[in-house]
Amino acid sequence: MRQGRRLRLIAGVAALLLVLAACASSDETGATSTAAADEETAATTPAESQIADEPASTNPGASDEIEAARAGLDANVAFATSSWPTDWSKSVVELDSIFLGIGATDPRDAIPPIDQPNYESLDAAAEWLQDREPGAVVRVNGEARFFPLSIMTRHEIVNDELGGVPLAITYCPLCNTALAFDRRVDGEVLRFGVSGLLRNSDLVMWDDKTVSLWQQITGEAIVGEHAGTRLQPVSTAIVSFADFRESFPDGLSLSRETGFSISYGVNPYRGYSSSPAPFMPVSGEPDGRFPALERVVGVSVDGVDKAYPFSILSEDRAVNDIVNDVHVAVLWGSPDTADALDGTVIADSQAIGTAIALDRELDGQTLTFSASGEMFTDAETGTTWTILGKAVDGPLEGSQLDTVSHRNEFWFAWSAFFPDAAVFGG
């Protein structure tokens, strides 16, 4: 990609993220209007103009080795991170693959994570959430929570504890990846933030102990003291609010009471999922087997990865497969589930459907699923199941299948991070 094109892409997404940061930090009531957001997006942004004549690093504690490593950084990244104590000499990626997404002197948490989340009953959430609105569902030790994407697009990270486990619940709007991780590393509980950096258009997180940089889509530290360390994933899925209420009526939903004055039903990434390409540069040649922003279910089992494109799943509805010796069922349903990244108002956005990966082994028995109306049926017992793997009628009624670690990322993100992985039907 030519340099001018690359800078224009960086400038465009930087302006968008600056609008988000401004909205998140505002003390005024109400959201930025669409017209105001468009006007600010059209302006020249710091990401394009802040390449300065200053030294690339102003951190007096940086060693010669770290300074030498920083020479491999993009100029904008070098400028924005000049005061960070990150050990750039420890890296498992090429440093020039990291780009600046937010133009700021120090972009860390310009999009602010939620560190003290509040939750509400599903009846209270239903007063502002419509049934078709999507969110990330996380279950740990019997506790189930729903994280509306209308909130997650504005904050990207929630640091919390669920079922006694300290978690980072994360969402990258540019890749559509909702993932949760155990925050414990080497005996310490880390707090994760939004670094303002991107790699392959995916969120790069930072931790509060070492300022190591972590790739959201893989959970791996890519730069810093923890480079090469992988966070333990906690199974997450993107489902509609109605599906969550049906399967977990006693669950809780993340509240709009975040301490920030934001209109959480408005989509700041209007039209993104209908665009032909991602905002930011992605390494390698595009994989043209599927449109860049088609969604796939990316299943990962102990280092073995496989993708299931929505276009195929929406026809088959139920795929019974084996990934690294784990029997998985990849189900597609709830066709009216809204796309959080297309229309101006999420509740009115285009329908995209729901897809989820489940472990189809239960009490030593392997189940084989097929679609049955809006539900699913297993061939072995004739039990009826919801898309979230809850048995609602038949011999196994009341049973709950476990979710397999997976994502609903866009195809460009899958092919960039897992270029050699298998693709169902591909």
Side-chain angles (χ1 to χ4, degrees):
M1 182 176 293
R2 298 179 63 179
Q3 183 72 6
R5 170 66 173 162
R6 189 184 74 178
L7 286 175
R8 286 194 296 274
L9 284 168
I10 294 171
V13 74
L16 172 63
L17 295 176
L18 276 171
V19 172
L20 297 185
C23 291
S25 60
S26 174
D27 292 327
E28 299 179 4
T29 302
T32 301
S33 69
T34 299
D38 288 345
E39 181 179 348
E40 188 161 356
T41 300
T44 301
T45 65
E48 186 175 16
S49 63
Q50 74 174 177
I51 300 177
D53 294 329
E54 299 179 25
S57 175
T58 56
N59 185 349
S63 68
D64 291 343
E65 187 178 12
I66 293 175
E67 287 298 297
R70 285 179 56 81
L73 290 170
D74 172 87
N76 286 314
V77 176
F79 181 86
T81 64
S82 60
S83 64
W84 296 11
T86 305
D87 186 348
W88 296 91
S89 68
K90 297 178 180 178
S91 172
V92 296
V93 300
E94 296 296 329
L95 295 183
D96 62 4
S97 67
I98 300 171
F99 291 91
L100 183 65
I102 298 176
T105 302
D106 186 340
R108 285 176 294 178
D109 292 354
I111 295 177
I114 299 175
D115 294 320
Q116 296 180 320
N118 294 307
Y119 297 92
E120 59 190 357
S121 70
L122 301 188
D123 286 341
E127 295 180 4
W128 68 278
L129 277 175
Q130 294 192 25
D131 281 351
R132 66 191 303 265
E133 291 190 60
V137 54
V138 182
R139 284 194 305 128
V140 178
N141 297 331
E143 293 187 37
R145 302 276 172 87
F146 185 77
F147 296 83
L149 295 193
S150 58
I151 299 177
M152 297 302 293
T153 55
R154 303 296 187 133
H155 297 280
E156 302 192 6
I157 299 175
V158 175
N159 291 290
D160 198 12
E161 183 175 297
L162 181 59
V165 179
L167 295 182
I169 300 92
T170 72
Y171 179 65
C172 175
L174 297 183
C175 291
N176 193 53
T177 42
L179 293 158
F181 301 100
D182 189 324
R183 293 190 284 129
R184 293 172 292 191
V185 176
D186 295 339
E188 288 189 304
V189 176
L190 304 182
R191 180 265 189 194
F192 287 94
V194 180
S195 72
L197 306 179
L198 298 165
R199 180 170 171 268
N200 286 333
S201 209
D202 179 52
L203 164 66
V204 175
M205 308 181 294
W206 69 282
D207 71 70
D208 65 339
K209 303 296 184 184
T210 68
V211 195
S212 293
L213 304 181
W214 303 76
Q215 191 80 63
Q216 184 254 4
I217 205 167
T218 62
E220 182 181 24
I222 56 174
V223 178
E225 181 178 321
H226 289 303
T229 300
R230 286 184 180 266
L231 299 171
Q232 180 64 38
V234 174
S235 293
T236 313
I238 296 177
V239 302
S240 70
F241 181 57
D243 284 333
F244 182 81
R245 292 187 76 183
E246 179 181 26
S247 292
F248 306 107
D250 297 324
L252 297 174
S253 180
L254 182 65
S255 168
R256 292 179 297 174
E257 301 300 320
T258 62
F260 300 92
S261 297
I262 299 173
S263 180
Y264 285 113
V266 177
N267 168 30
Y269 297 87
R270 182 183 58 194
Y272 178 53
S273 59
S274 296
S275 62
F279 281 143
M280 296 293 287
V282 176
S283 62
E285 292 296 321
D287 188 326
R289 285 179 288 174
F290 298 94
L293 275 83
E294 173 167 345
R295 286 167 167 83
V296 302
V297 177
V299 176
S300 297
V301 180
D302 296 330
V304 176
D305 309 292
K306 189 169 183 177
Y308 302 80
F310 268 42
S311 58
I312 296 175
L313 289 173
S314 62
E315 296 292 332
D316 293 351
R317 292 283 312 282
V319 172
N320 299 281
D321 205 356
I322 300 174
V323 180
N324 202 16
D325 297 328
V326 173
H327 292 79
V328 301
V330 185
L331 308 180
W332 188 92
S334 301
D336 192 45
T337 302
D339 183 344
L341 301 169
D342 190 62
T344 300
V345 177
I346 293 175
D348 298 333
S349 190
Q350 68 177 352
I352 193 62
T354 294
I356 189 169
L358 301 168
D359 187 333
R360 56 191 178 98
E361 291 189 3
L362 182 68
D363 298 329
Q365 184 178 31
T366 301
L367 304 176
T368 306
F369 288 91
S370 61
S372 178
E374 295 182 358
M375 299 288 189
F376 301 87
T377 304
D378 72 76
E380 288 70 25
T381 72
T383 298
T384 299
W385 304 78
T386 70
I387 194 170
L388 268 168
K390 184 175 182 178
V392 294
D393 187 45
L396 299 179
E397 182 177 352
S399 298
Q400 175 67 59
L401 298 176
D402 291 329
T403 307
V404 175
S405 181
H406 71 282
R407 301 160 302 279
N408 280 177
E409 64 261 83
F410 291 126
W411 171 250
F412 80 82
W414 170 267
S415 58
F417 285 100
F418 309 100
D420 301 320
V423 178
F424 180 80

